[in-house]
Amino acid sequence: MKNVNKYARGYFMPPVTSLKWTEKEYITEAPTWCSVDLRDGNQALVVPMNLEEKLEYFKMLVKIGFKEIEVGFPAASETEYTFLRTLIEKNLIPDDVTIQVLTQSRDHIIKKTFESLKGVNKAVVHLYNSTSVAQREQVFKKSKEEIINIAVTGAELLKKYAAETEGNFKFQYSPESFTGTEIDFALDICNQVLDVWQPTAEDNVIINLPATVSMSMPHVYASQIEYMSDHLKYRDNVILSIHPHNDRGTGIADAELSLLAGGQRIEGTLFGNGERTGNVDIVTLALNLYSHGVDPQLNFENILEIIEMYERVTKMRVHERQPYGGKLVFAAFSGSHQDAIAKGMKYHEEHESDTWSVPYLLIDPKDIGREYEGDVIRINSQSGKGGIGYLLEQHYGLDLPPKMREGFGYSVKNVSDQKQKELMPNEIYDIFIQEYVNLISPVEFIEYSYTKSADYQTNVTIRYKEQVEEISGSGNGRLDAISNALQTRLGINYKDLSYKEHALETGSESKAVSYVGITAEDGKVYWGCGIDVDIMTSSVKALFSAVNKMVD
């Protein structure tokens, strides 16, 4: 591509090696989660949410289990100020939930922020200012000392107004654009803010290190976080928070590696909505933990309800391939995948396993409110016999013999290919009925009778070439006798009659289903299916169906 030399690496590695995080295998406990959907997420919408939509969204976040929720920048907008006041005055904030508000390091903004918090039980006041080389040189045109002064002044103002305002307040500081800031400078400015706040075990504070722009590979961000964690003052009294964006598509990796590196808290949004390519997706992060047997302390058992609310109030869309939430993320169209999943599900059911290990499915879809039939096995021209057979069995109780599944699978794929569409279970069932069940042309079965001496003697009434007639045959069983009568009358030969039967339903109105396969002289196998309240009659109908496919 052109102009590759114009892109220099704008991030800064720590001055010493920080790789202790690489020795850890996985995250062992959930971080503190802070949703920033109502601030970072809302400001990234084409049409920001109105008051009613923000209230509905807030209630859903509470229902999911968030204990910290950033609700806005109350001093910057009358809408956000009103939203915050509504939450407080209508007592909509549960006792175990802490709201968070954002403020710049400016006296009048900080003052109005605390005014907006009047009457709140507890809140995090989040102070930020930009610290990166690009911001200092191009936007603010200030020296490092001047940037530090902005942060320290803001920290002092937070202490001042918090002391004058009734309520319980926790302080948070973010060196915005942390990833483009020299690490020692980021450490210096954070430590000077901490010197102002003097955190204690009873009155701890939050230092938030945002990947405002994701600029490096995830291991670099993790090393930056580890270095900061190792060198921050008052570390035991500091909650180290991570706020990854997704510019490089590595927001999840940035977050997970940073939790290994000392991060204790994550700021993100549902489904990753946020500026540019978005914030880190908390749904994915939480369910990644869940897939490792770690309780994320957030409840996504009703993920479809959450998606419905999210799409309706944000006017955004959860992509079909979005991890966990997307409509197609559990779907298997590939024949080999479907076969493995169907066999895995059956194994899981038969062995009553306490652990989940079904091929191709990271977690059990039912645990987040998804359904196997609608979400897992999906049929198109790429599908195979295993998935098609699985759907017939799950929806209609039809347990086809393996060889019959193979032949039927080709029929279904051909229909899907011709129509260029996915086929629903009812469409697959209709194809099966039309092609295999109780076929009456060119030979229609009407009734039969039999006697038994040394072998079975049978008389069968049929309709053939529009004429009703009776044919006779003998064999070592009733079905064999009927089969021999048919071969004689029609002048055909086949061998290796395969047979399977099972009950189709339970109760007084139960039916029997039978499957019969016959092998012609050229080796081709023809299958038929019979369904009837009488098991023997269903067998005869299955045989006639197979013969009709052979002579048609």
Side-chain angles (χ1 to χ4, degrees):
M1 291 179 64
K2 297 179 181 178
N3 302 322
V4 67
N5 293 328
K6 73 190 285 186
Y7 296 104
R9 292 181 291 277
Y11 58 85
F12 299 88
M13 283 293 288
V16 297
T17 301
S18 298
L19 294 173
K20 295 191 297 293
W21 59 269
T22 63
E23 300 170 3
K24 300 176 183 178
E25 181 183 350
Y26 64 98
I27 301 163
T28 58
E29 62 182 6
T32 298
W33 304 104
C34 178
S35 161
V36 295
D37 291 81
L38 296 169
R39 198 274 300 172
D40 222 349
N42 187 56
Q43 75 182 26
L45 298 176
V46 176
V47 180
M49 290 179 273
N50 60 34
L51 178 61
E52 290 73 22
E53 289 168 337
K54 293 184 81 170
L55 289 171
E56 182 180 1
Y57 206 116
F58 179 83
K59 291 175 183 177
M60 177 61 79
L61 292 172
V62 170
K63 183 178 179 181
I64 291 169
F66 284 96
K67 302 305 179 186
E68 296 186 11
I69 302 171
E70 188 165 84
V71 297
F73 195 152
S77 161
E78 191 61 33
T79 300
E80 298 203 0
Y81 187 96
T82 301
F83 173 56
L84 175 55
R85 293 310 307 160
T86 301
L87 291 175
I88 295 170
E89 292 169 7
K90 293 191 174 182
N91 295 315
L92 298 176
I93 307 169
D95 292 339
D96 62 345
V97 172
T98 300
I99 61 165
Q100 178 170 302
V101 293
L102 187 69
T103 181
Q104 293 173 330
S105 182
R106 300 170 69 182
D107 192 338
H108 71 283
I109 292 178
I110 294 173
K111 180 180 180 180
K112 187 170 183 179
T113 298
F114 277 93
E115 289 173 355
S116 73
L117 291 168
K118 182 179 179 180
V120 74
N121 179 35
K122 53 187 176 180
V124 173
V125 183
H126 179 187
L127 173 73
Y128 78 97
N129 69 306
S130 293
T131 59
S132 69
V133 174
Q135 293 270 16
R136 295 196 316 260
E137 293 180 350
Q138 301 172 36
V139 181
F140 299 105
K141 303 186 187 303
K142 292 184 181 295
S143 66
K144 290 182 178 179
E145 291 72 22
E146 290 173 308
I147 295 295
I148 289 174
N149 183 61
I150 292 172
V152 168
T153 299
E156 292 170 342
L157 288 169
L158 258 62
K159 287 189 68 173
K160 172 181 181 294
Y161 286 110
E164 298 171 357
T165 307
E166 184 179 354
N168 298 303
F169 302 106
K170 184 191 291 290
F171 300 149
Q172 173 173 323
Y173 174 66
S174 291
E176 195 207 357
S177 299
F178 164 76
T179 46
T181 304
E182 306 92 322
I183 296 301
D184 280 342
F185 177 58
L187 179 65
D188 187 18
I189 196 168
C190 288
N191 279 336
Q192 292 206 42
V193 168
L194 290 172
D195 283 337
V196 174
W197 287 341
Q198 296 284 314
T200 65
E202 295 74 28
D203 190 18
N204 58 22
V205 301
I206 302 167
I207 292 294
N208 185 57
L209 301 176
T212 309
V213 179
S214 176
M215 304 177 74
S216 67
M217 294 176 67
H219 73 286
V220 173
Y221 186 50
S223 296
Q224 293 169 336
I225 298 302
E226 184 172 278
Y227 181 82
M228 294 290 287
S229 178
D230 287 345
H231 293 87
L232 281 171
K233 291 184 177 181
Y234 315 95
R235 183 64 184 90
D236 291 342
N237 303 323
V238 172
I239 298 168
L240 187 56
S241 179
I242 311 300
H243 182 115
H245 280 243
N246 200 40
D247 303 85
R248 290 170 51 89
T250 58
I252 297 294
D254 288 341
E256 291 184 329
L257 297 188
S258 295
L259 289 176
L260 295 178
Q264 299 159 288
R265 179 178 184 267
I266 292 286
E267 292 188 347
T269 59
L270 299 181
F271 308 110
N273 177 46
E275 295 282 15
R276 306 180 311 279
T277 54
N279 288 51
V280 72
D281 174 10
I282 287 182
V283 178
T284 299
L285 277 173
L287 291 176
N288 281 356
L289 285 176
Y290 184 70
S291 75
H292 282 173
V294 177
D295 187 350
Q297 304 296 315
L298 294 175
N299 187 346
F300 293 109
E301 294 175 8
N302 60 336
I303 197 164
L304 296 180
E305 177 187 344
I306 295 168
I307 291 171
E308 186 282 325
M309 180 281 303
Y310 171 84
E311 293 188 330
R312 176 166 45 79
V313 304
T314 66
K315 314 302 186 292
M316 300 287 285
R317 182 173 69 87
V318 174
H319 192 274
E320 289 82 356
R321 298 295 181 187
Q322 181 87 5
Y324 303 106
K327 291 180 180 179
L328 297 179
V329 295
F330 294 111
F333 291 100
S334 161
S336 61
H337 287 209
Q338 291 176 343
D339 184 59
I341 290 171
K343 289 175 178 175
M345 298 281 234
K346 188 172 184 179
Y347 178 92
H348 191 71
E349 181 179 343
E350 290 175 347
H351 290 75
E352 298 181 350
S353 176
D354 292 330
T355 57
W356 181 257
S357 61
V358 173
Y360 297 111
L361 296 180
L362 180 62
I363 67 170
D364 186 345
K366 284 187 177 293
D367 286 335
I368 58 172
R370 306 292 292 270
E371 294 297 327
Y372 298 144
E373 291 81 3
D375 289 327
V376 177
I377 304 295
R378 306 281 291 269
I379 304 302
N380 64 13
S381 61
Q382 303 301 308
S383 303
K385 61 184 185 296
I388 293 166
Y390 176 83
L391 284 185
L392 280 182
E393 184 173 3
Q394 292 296 309
H395 285 267
Y396 301 103
L398 295 166
D399 186 12
L400 278 59
K403 292 293 185 181
M404 188 180 191
R405 287 189 181 195
E406 184 173 350
F408 179 54
Y410 286 115
S411 297
V412 171
K413 291 199 291 184
N414 286 339
V415 172
S416 177
D417 193 32
Q418 291 168 10
K419 293 186 176 182
Q420 290 291 293
K421 66 186 287 286
E422 177 185 358
L423 298 179
M424 296 297 103
N426 65 301
E427 295 175 293
I428 296 167
Y429 177 74
D430 289 343
I431 295 170
F432 182 73
I433 294 295
Q434 181 179 346
E435 289 203 9
Y436 292 94
V437 178
N438 298 352
L439 302 183
I440 61 174
S441 177
V443 188
E444 179 182 0
F445 164 71
I446 298 177
E447 62 181 1
Y448 78 97
S449 62
Y450 73 94
T451 59
K452 186 178 183 305
S453 53
D455 55 11
Y456 284 86
Q457 304 289 327
T458 185
N459 295 314
V460 188
T461 303
I462 65 172
R463 180 178 284 108
Y464 181 52
K465 295 184 178 179
E466 301 183 356
Q467 299 295 318
V468 175
E469 57 183 284
E470 188 174 277
I471 59 176
S472 300
S474 62
N476 57 17
R478 286 177 286 179
L479 194 63
D480 185 51
I482 295 172
S483 174
N484 290 334
L486 271 174
Q487 291 185 75
T488 299
R489 172 64 184 86
L490 300 176
I492 59 174
N493 291 293
Y494 54 79
K495 58 183 179 178
D496 299 333
L497 190 146
S498 301
Y499 177 73
K500 176 181 178 179
E501 65 182 39
H502 62 80
L504 188 59
E505 301 168 350
T506 58
S508 59
E509 298 299 321
S510 64
K511 294 182 179 180
V513 57
S514 300
Y515 312 94
V516 168
I518 55 177
T519 304
E521 291 179 319
D522 62 1
K524 185 174 181 180
V525 179
Y526 296 89
W527 286 93
C529 176
I531 299 177
D532 196 88
V533 292
D534 176 71
I535 184 63
M536 185 59 201
T537 302
S538 76
S539 302
V540 175
K541 288 181 176 180
L543 173 62
F544 269 74
S545 296
V547 169
N548 280 326
K549 290 185 72 68
M550 178 178 175
V551 301
D552 187 20

